[in-house]
Amino acid sequence: MNASLRSSDGDGAVHVSLAELLALRARVGKVSLPPQASRANRAGLQSSRLYGRGMDYAESRIYQNGDDVRRLDWRLTARSGKLHTKLFQEEREGRLLIVLDGHASMRFGTRVRFKSVQAARAAAWAAWHAVKAGERVGLMGFGAHDGLLVPRAGPRGALAVCGALADWDAQTAAPRAEPLSQVLRNVGRVLHGASRVLLITDGACSDEASRRHLVPLARQARLGVLAVVDPLEAAPTPIGRYPLEHDGERVEWIVGSARQQQVLPQLLGAGHARLLALTKAAGAVCRTVDTTEDPFDAVAALLGRRGRA
């Protein structure tokens, strides 16, 4: 951690600022979201409509093998002399489940803010976008926190997510190691009808076994992966002296050659590289955002939205 990033409650740099997360609602409110495409073969996508055992009658048609006999249209059958089945129209409400990494590696930052803070900001962006798009939104944590917020509709859903993000960030319990493969397996069990999943992580917890869980999860829901990185993890380190601080201890890292410029990216960015390789192999959509950026564009791309706040 860079010595310039000092800890204070809710400062938006080292700790999550609840006020900032709530303020994002106003910015998202200025964004125009295009209508979501309908695809009946993909369960739960927003605004999709299908014929099934819903609440609203749509039409009747000639009975086909396999039709539910409880849905027979007896009046039309009597008039026509041929068996007819009632069809019902069901509207499925989109649901977004945000899956947030809380491992110790996320509490690191050299520019502007910790990765954990940037991840919370991205999660809040996604929550407010879901609400604006008419979707329910929920939150699942892993690593330092294992809480689960079942997807809820309206502003209350986003408010619950923002509150949980701030509460989880304030927890002091030591994070437990949880491989990404286990997380993905758990997500598949607690989707609660979610049609979208947004995984936010730095990739440090990714393991080779994750690949075989990414594909089935992407079949269950529309999966997007947001990789949060620190600038030191993503690019060669500029030559210079770097004061680093961790748990009250300070050291100075000296970078004086081209070879030394690659040491920190290779060391600190190993998890990010693994995550990119895994998502590429599994065909999952992945975007990267560093701690200095506004995460809006990356989140919007993963959620299939366009526009700027």
Side-chain angles (χ1 to χ4, degrees), residues 25 47 96 124 129 173 178 220 230 239 251 272 304:
R25 179 182 185 181
S47 298
L96 170 67
H129 268 275
E178 192 170 359
Q220 286 182 272
D230 183 84
I239 291 176
V251 297
H272 178 230

Side-chain angles (χ1 to χ4, degrees), residues 2-199:
N2 189 285
S4 63
L5 293 184
R6 298 296 185 181
S7 175
S8 63
D9 292 339
D11 57 8
V14 174
H15 293 291
V16 170
S17 168
L18 179 58
E20 180 185 13
L21 302 187
L22 298 179
L24 291 177
R25 179 182 185 181
R27 294 185 63 190
V28 172
K30 299 176 183 178
V31 179
S32 177
L33 302 183
Q36 188 73 14
S38 296
R39 290 172 57 188
N41 64 332
R42 195 69 183 272
L45 288 181
Q46 180 188 345
S47 298
S48 67
R49 302 184 75 85
L50 56 96
Y51 291 130
R53 296 176 61 184
M55 296 299 295
D56 299 324
Y57 171 77
E59 62 182 4
S60 295
R61 61 160 168 75
I62 295 293
Y63 175 84
Q64 298 177 3
N65 288 336
D67 284 349
D68 189 342
V69 295
R70 294 172 298 179
R71 299 292 177 174
L72 290 176
D73 187 337
W74 294 109
R75 291 185 180 181
L76 185 55
T77 295
R79 291 198 303 268
S80 65
K82 297 181 180 180
L83 285 175
H84 278 73
T85 301
K86 289 182 178 180
L87 298 179
F88 293 81
Q89 195 172 50
E90 178 184 22
E91 183 174 357
R92 292 189 173 182
E93 184 179 35
R95 298 187 180 195
L96 170 67
L97 179 64
I98 303 168
V99 183
L100 184 70
D101 190 343
H103 281 102
S105 62
M106 297 290 288
R107 290 187 178 268
F108 173 82
T110 64
R111 311 276 179 84
V112 182
R113 57 182 63 88
F114 273 11
K115 289 186 289 183
S116 57
V117 174
Q118 182 71 313
R121 296 173 75 238
W125 266 120
W128 290 117
H129 268 275
V131 169
K132 183 175 176 62
E135 296 179 318
R136 291 174 177 264
V137 61
L139 178 67
M140 174 181 170
F142 65 96
H145 32 67
D146 58 358
L148 173 64
L149 274 66
V150 176
R152 298 173 59 184
R156 289 185 177 182
L159 287 171
V161 168
C162 290
L165 291 171
D167 290 343
W168 291 354
D169 181 77
Q171 292 177 4
T172 58
R176 68 186 187 284
E178 192 170 359
L180 185 59
S181 56
Q182 179 63 48
V183 175
L184 296 174
R185 193 158 51 239
N186 292 339
V187 171
R189 297 169 180 167
V190 298
L191 276 177
H192 292 286
S195 54
R196 297 173 182 269
V197 174
L198 177 62
L199 170 64

Side-chain angles (χ1 to χ4, degrees), residues 204-238:
C205 61
S206 57
D207 56 341
E208 186 59 31
S210 302
R211 184 182 306 180
R212 66 173 179 265
H213 297 290
L214 280 170
V215 174
L217 180 58
R219 290 173 180 167
Q220 286 182 272
R222 182 172 176 176
L223 173 65
V225 181
L226 182 66
V228 181
V229 301
D230 183 84
L232 282 183
E233 301 171 340
T237 309

